[in-house]
Amino acid sequence: MNMAVQAINSNTKGVAQNTYDAIVIGSGISGGWAAKELCDKGLKTLVLERGRNVEHNKDYPTATKDLWEFPHRGNMTRQFLKDNPLISKAAGFGEDTAHFFIKDKDHPYVQEKPFDWIRGYQVGGKSLTWGRACQRWSNFEFTAPARYGYGLDWPIRYEDVAPWYSHVEKFAGVCGNKDGIEAMPDGEFLPPFDLNCVETHVQKSIKQHFPDRHLVQARWAHITKPTETHLQLGRGKCQARNLCMRGCPYGAYFSSVSATLPWAARTGNLTMRPFSVVHSIIFDEQKNKAIGVRVIDAQTKATTDYFARIIFLNASALNSNLVLLNSTSQRFPNGLGNDSGLLGKYIAFHNYRANVRGEIPGFEDKYYFGRNPTEPIIANYRNLHQQDTDYLGGFTTFMGAHRTRGATANLTEEIGAAYKDALSLPGGWRVYMYMQGETIPKESNHVRLSKTEKDQWGIPLLVTSVAYDDNDEKMIKDFLAQSTAMLEKAGCTNIQQHDSKQAPGLDIHEMGGVRMGHDPKTSLLNKYNQLHYCQNVFVTDGACMTSTGNQSPSILYMALTARAVNHAAEEMKKGNL
Amino acid sequence: MNRREAIAAVAYIMGSTVVGAEVFLSGCQRSSSDETLSFSENTVALLDEVAETILPSTAASPGAKEAHIGSFIKTMVTDCYEEKDQKIFAAGLDKLQEVSKEKFKDNFQKLSAGNKHALLVNLDNEAKSYQKSKKEDEPNHYFTMLKQLTLLGYFTSELGATQALNYLPVPGRFEGCIPYKKGDKAWAM
Ligand SMILES: Cc1cc2nc3c(=O)[nH]c(=O)nc-3n(C[C@H](O)[C@H](O)[C@H](O)COP(=O)(O)OP(=O)(O)OC[C@H]3O[C@@H](n4cnc5c(N)ncnc54)[C@H](O)[C@@H]3O)c2cc1C
Ligand code: SF4
């Protein structure tokens, strides 16, 4: 095996040319952090990214366009939708953002059960299009699986991650308010965005009628007051345009492209290699560790091997599973580090199915200025100190209120001058709430490699076998009932409940398959995100998640990544890696 | 999510009817065939007239015709509508002319402003009651399509967004709670 590797190696230049201190696979939210932290530690770092290069500002073709400059005003054409039924379902997907998402036919996979796998393959990954919600996990989430017996105990606690959350928040720039809520710990926040008048009203009403529930201002990765670090990178204050998914010309929301990667580049230690599809991680049986990574050029399809002492796998949750499953050797016939046979199992995600909305009279003399790119949050209030529902897990609730357009209520005719003038005025206010629920990891929810089908680079297709269950249905019911009750108490009328019944995947919070744990028999990674059985390989994206919690996950991936790099660097110094 | 909610808010001003909601929330519709409709110059001119009757020029802002809604509708129906909806739309324009000839003895374009208005008020009411009573899988009324595309096109056009509404390309800041003075225009998206 190893001999063959050497032979294929790098068509011309030989091993030395292709050797780095560290390799990072993927340049999205977590890979960008791995790159930044490794380069800051003085390690020569190669970042392998399967997609094209994207440079801050230069490659944001729609960022400053007005709506009328899009021929279909944001909609996709019939032909595009016919060719891309899957990716076009993604939240926020449209004529202005399509260039940051894949096309369906380029990247097939096998849906054994319906699963909408949303991907953005380019430098920056999904950090360019993410929603930017950034709440911290609390210890309730780290301890819930052990306390309620619904899975594996996390090998870490809030205290292990807290300093790394701080580290990450300060650099990324997260706005929010310190609210002192046990279920959603405070962080290093820049000033929050305002609540609007109706949101403030709903906040007060919840406080009065549901004293154990807390509606707070958004904790979101936006710079509301740049620090010296932000300014050094050319990142500035958010201009409240709410066009973030196109890429931000002000660098005001956090992305790999505006923040971590340029920072890493400034150290002089970074080598970026776009169009590099990682095929597998190369394991050396004599050395009993990984020695490098096999790459297929996205365009020429040529194979090249790269070498390093440590490897960070950050290809996004399911792709990291795929890479490990495809990294086979005599020692690891079922995938790298997979002695337990659990690689690819216990996949979970967030439950985004349900929302409620209503109208609220009485605020017609109030309005707002600008477009708020964030949303207020109701911290989880379920199953905190004890299990108090007929289901396991909890949910975060996002909410918002906005004024509609069109003061047409008293018109008898909806044609003509009076109608048009009425449509130019603001209408009534509406309020909505939607859920982000925890789902329970189960062995049966899994991904694996197809035995028969391969992609255009000769890599087996991923098979997804992931579904909702009864626990999720119960949580949806509870969410709908509780949220409706909160809207009623706030004085909403015409309240409507909605369950989208969407397949998993559209939440874009897929997690698991390479979970962390104390015991190598029941987990793949140790408490520092190292493969138990191949300790120079670190997996720090969503694949590492032992349970899903109910908070938005990405800021935790960032914190775990920075923590793991720190550990790796220390171990390297000690000669252990 | 945030942005999608804002888009839903626009759909809402369309009177929460079906075609608008679909167009706005899931993009344009899918088609089983790629055959498309052809729009002659005449048709575009007719669409301009219909749109101008729905959203005429007023003291406050220019009308739909000036915002070139006819050619916007042509683009949307051609590129985005499903074939079955394209057919309903095309047949609908013929029907509109028939009604015009029957009632006022002339093509829609030739009618007086008052007669155009009266004709569309009738059609609007007909479309509304049809939409209300139809089953979910039954086709939409052509006038519902026409009106929604007119509203969408106009309020997202440069003229509509900047003159009929209040448009800030770069607000610079967000203020959550400010007084609203009666008569002030709504924010464009
Ligand atoms: C519309 C939307 C809204 C979201 N909202 C939020 C939110 O509000 N809060 C939140 O916390 N999260 C949110 N997310 C989720 C968030 O984007 C992801 O959790 C996060 O991007 C995951 O980071 P990652 O590094 O694991 O993967 P990514 O950011 O996807 O990066 C993975 C990178 O690896 C590359 N790659 C994959 N396979 C290979 C390979 N074989 N070889 C080389 N490179 C490879 C990919 O091209 C990609 O660039 C949202 C996502 C979307 C799309
Ligand atoms: S809202 Fe803020 S972060 Fe988003 S695009 Fe505008 S300036 Fe950038």
Side-chain angles (χ1 to χ4, degrees):
Chain A
M1 180 76 193
N2 200 27
M3 294 302 288
V5 166
Q6 303 291 335
I8 289 180
N9 166 43
S10 218
N11 327 334
T12 50
K13 289 172 191 147
V15 178
Q17 275 272 347
N18 280 4
T19 299
Y20 298 82
D21 296 324
I23 291 175
V24 178
I25 303 171
S27 64
I29 284 193
S30 62
W33 268 98
K36 171 189 174 290
E37 298 292 303
L38 289 162
C39 289
D40 268 345
K41 304 270 182 210
L43 299 172
K44 295 283 176 202
T45 303
L46 172 67
V47 175
L48 297 167
E49 167 54 53
R50 67 183 301 154
R52 69 194 163 96
N53 196 23
V54 171
E55 274 178 53
H56 183 50
N57 254 333
K58 182 168 153 272
D59 296 310
Y60 302 157
T62 57
T64 57
K65 279 195 174 170
D66 290 307
L67 203 47
W68 51 87
E69 295 178 72
F70 298 94
H72 308 95
R73 309 286 157 83
N75 295 284
M76 299 309 287
T77 63
R78 180 183 66 248
Q79 186 61 45
F80 187 95
L81 292 174
K82 200 175 126 196
D83 294 342
N84 298 279
L86 193 153
I87 198 67
S88 49
K89 285 189 217 168
F93 185 95
E95 210 172 14
D96 57 336
T97 57
H99 51 285
F100 289 144
F101 293 86
I102 58 140
K103 301 267 189 330
D104 286 0
K105 77 167 170 357
D106 298 338
H107 304 286
Y109 62 102
V110 183
Q111 300 183 54
E112 195 167 76
K113 295 173 186 160
F115 183 91
D116 295 317
W117 189 15
I118 302 303
R119 288 155 294 165
Y121 289 166
Q122 64 260 328
V123 166
K126 297 195 292 282
S127 77
L128 287 160
T129 53
W130 71 312
R132 311 168 308 280
C134 271
Q135 323 86 269
R136 288 185 181 202
W137 273 40
S138 72
N139 247 341
F140 290 122
E141 285 155 293
F142 284 105
T143 59
R147 281 189 294 133
Y148 303 134
Y150 64 81
L152 194 66
D153 187 18
W154 278 83
I156 51 173
R157 291 292 180 258
Y158 176 69
E159 295 71 37
D160 297 305
V161 196
W164 297 101
Y165 269 128
S166 294
H167 176 74
V168 161
E169 284 160 348
K170 278 188 236 162
F171 178 84
V174 176
C175 63
N177 188 37
K178 296 205 188 229
D179 300 289
I181 301 169
E182 223 184 341
M184 211 167 71
D186 292 332
E188 311 284 336
F189 297 142
L190 303 170
F193 275 90
D194 275 2
L195 298 177
N196 67 36
C197 348
V198 171
E199 290 161 355
T200 304
H201 163 77
V202 174
Q203 182 187 46
K204 281 190 196 139
S205 161
I206 290 176
K207 194 167 192 167
Q208 185 191 343
H209 299 284
F210 305 88
D212 61 338
R213 302 182 189 178
H214 309 282
L215 191 159
V216 304
Q217 280 151 311
R219 297 170 176 195
W220 236 253
H222 285 258
I223 295 178
T224 48
K225 195 175 165 206
T227 63
E228 185 47 39
T229 308
H230 300 139
L231 294 171
Q232 269 182 39
L233 281 166
R235 300 183 62 199
K237 182 174 176 289
C238 178
Q239 304 295 309
R241 309 180 322 144
N242 198 19
L243 299 174
C244 319
M245 286 181 71
R246 300 172 175 184
C248 176
Y250 308 93
Y253 77 91
F254 171 82
S255 78
S256 306
V257 171
S258 67
T260 44
L261 294 174
W263 183 277
R266 292 194 328 172
T267 64
N269 293 325
L270 176 74
T271 305
M272 275 296 310
R273 202 175 188 290
F275 294 119
S276 301
V277 182
V278 169
H279 169 277
S280 53
I281 295 170
I282 306 160
F283 183 77
D284 183 309
E285 273 155 42
Q286 271 88 53
K287 293 184 179 147
N288 194 31
K289 61 181 184 180
I291 53 166
V293 166
R294 176 156 304 166
V295 166
I296 303 182
D297 188 291
Q299 295 162 307
T300 67
K301 315 261 154 98
T303 302
T304 308
D305 292 347
Y306 293 93
F307 304 93
R309 282 171 68 187
I310 53 169
I311 293 159
F312 269 74
L313 180 51
N314 296 97
S316 77
L318 298 192
N319 273 313
S320 288
N321 276 279
L322 196 164
V323 169
L324 290 178
L325 285 164
N326 201 39
S327 303
T328 53
S329 56
Q330 259 165 25
R331 167 69 185 83
F332 293 111
N334 301 317
L336 189 64
N338 189 19
D339 289 7
S340 64
L342 296 180
L343 177 60
K345 297 179 177 171
Y346 298 100
I347 300 290
F349 53 92
H350 274 152
N351 179 350
Y352 258 97
R353 268 175 37 190
N355 64 65
V356 295
R357 49 188 67 213
E359 295 164 25
I360 186 163
F363 296 85
E364 288 73 21
D365 61 342
K366 300 278 191 291
Y367 213 8
Y368 36 74
F369 179 92
R371 296 186 292 276
N372 186 349
T374 73
E375 282 168 330
I377 308 168
I378 303 172
N380 177 39
Y381 49 86
R382 283 309 196 208
N383 300 326
L384 295 174
H385 295 281
Q386 67 202 30
Q387 189 178 338
D388 46 33
T389 62
D390 63 348
Y391 59 84
L392 294 163
F395 53 83
T396 299
T397 303
F398 294 103
M399 69 82 63
H402 53 81
R403 250 193 121 151
T404 58
R405 184 144 57 71
T408 56
N410 300 320
L411 294 181
T412 48
E413 295 177 349
E414 298 205 327
I415 299 285
Y419 179 55
K420 170 161 161 273
D421 288 345
L423 285 179
S424 298
L425 302 175
W429 286 81
R430 287 170 68 79
V431 187
Y432 64 87
M433 293 183 180
Y434 65 90
M435 74 185 292
Q436 175 176 285
E438 177 167 6
T439 68
I440 306 308
K442 292 179 299 191
E443 189 167 1
S444 56
N445 272 346
H446 74 279
V447 296
R448 61 177 195 274
L449 299 185
S450 167
K451 294 210 166 75
T452 49
E453 292 178 77
K454 293 187 168 177
D455 68 14
Q456 52 174 313
W457 299 281
I459 298 171
L461 297 192
L462 195 70
V463 180
T464 58
S465 189
V466 181
Y468 280 100
D469 64 19
D470 189 46
N471 197 68
D472 303 320
E473 302 294 338
K474 286 180 179 153
M475 184 185 286
I476 287 170
K477 266 204 193 127
D478 186 36
F479 165 83
L480 287 172
Q482 298 309 316
S483 304
T484 301
M486 288 189 276
L487 290 191
E488 274 170 356
K489 287 285 185 210
C492 290
T493 56
N494 195 13
I495 299 170
Q496 291 169 12
Q497 301 187 338
H498 184 60
D499 173 359
S500 72
K501 300 260 161 75
Q502 69 190 33
L506 276 191
D507 44 279
I508 329 182
H509 289 183
E510 64 276 10
M511 297 174 227
V514 198
R515 64 182 180 178
M516 298 169 78
H518 298 289
D519 181 355
K521 287 205 194 69
T522 53
S523 63
L524 275 297
L525 301 169
N526 71 11
K527 65 175 176 180
Y528 290 111
N529 298 74
Q530 297 172 275
L531 281 175
H532 288 300
Y533 293 117
C534 184
Q535 297 223 337
N536 67 333
V537 173
F538 294 77
V539 184
T540 65
D541 60 20
C544 78
M545 299 289 278
T546 309
S547 67
T548 75
N550 61 78
Q551 311 292 0
S552 307
S554 306
I555 189 91
L556 179 55
Y557 307 163
M558 301 187 220
L560 289 175
T561 304
R563 179 173 174 271
V565 170
N566 186 58
H567 177 73
E570 277 173 15
E571 290 292 289
M572 280 171 98
K573 258 190 240 150
K574 290 186 205 149
N576 293 341
L577 281 178
Chain B
M1 281 297 181
N2 198 264
R3 251 185 93 217
R4 198 149 263 228
E5 196 58 39
I7 291 167
V10 177
Y12 188 70
I13 65 154
M14 307 292 176
S16 39
T17 32
V18 193
V19 184
E22 277 171 21
V23 167
F24 279 107
L25 292 175
S26 45
C28 305
Q29 302 174 11
R30 261 155 247 172
S31 160
S32 47
S33 122
D34 295 334
E35 193 190 306
T36 51
L37 203 74
S38 67
F39 283 83
S40 67
E41 256 173 61
N42 247 339
T43 312
V44 173
L46 168 64
L47 291 172
D48 271 338
E49 287 305 319
V50 175
E52 180 70 19
T53 309
I54 300 172
L55 301 176
S57 156
T58 62
S61 54
K65 194 169 170 178
E66 211 182 312
H68 303 294
I69 296 310
S71 56
F72 171 73
I73 294 177
K74 170 181 165 170
T75 306
M76 289 298 287
V77 173
T78 310
D79 293 355
C80 297
Y81 267 30
E82 229 180 305
E83 192 191 349
K84 73 172 174 33
D85 289 329
Q86 290 181 336
K87 286 198 174 131
I88 295 169
F89 188 85
L93 290 184
D94 291 343
K95 241 184 253 165
L96 189 140
Q97 287 294 28
E98 274 166 35
V99 176
S100 173
K101 280 180 205 147
E102 209 174 281
K103 275 211 168 140
F104 301 107
K105 312 276 172 286
D106 216 338
N107 279 338
F108 185 83
Q109 291 98 309
K110 302 244 175 77
L111 305 187
S112 69
N115 284 347
K116 283 180 184 161
H117 179 85
L119 192 155
L120 292 197
V121 168
N122 263 339
L123 262 187
D124 192 38
N125 289 335
E126 175 191 314
K128 272 187 199 150
S129 60
Y130 170 84
Q131 292 292 126
K132 232 180 248 158
S133 60
K134 86 176 185 64
K135 293 202 194 73
E136 209 176 303
D137 50 354
E138 282 173 340
N140 289 300
H141 195 284
Y142 75 90
F143 190 73
T144 304
M145 302 180 184
L146 220 172
K147 187 174 167 189
Q148 287 179 344
L149 288 175
T150 302
L151 264 55
L152 167 65
Y154 180 73
F155 287 104
T156 57
S157 72
E158 181 163 11
L159 283 183
T162 60
Q163 296 189 41
L165 299 171
N166 200 347
Y167 177 66
L168 298 168
V170 183
R173 65 180 192 284
F174 179 75
E175 283 176 54
C177 202
I178 61 172
Y180 171 72
K181 263 208 323 306
K182 227 178 163 156
D184 278 357
K185 287 173 184 161
W187 300 121
M189 282 236 291

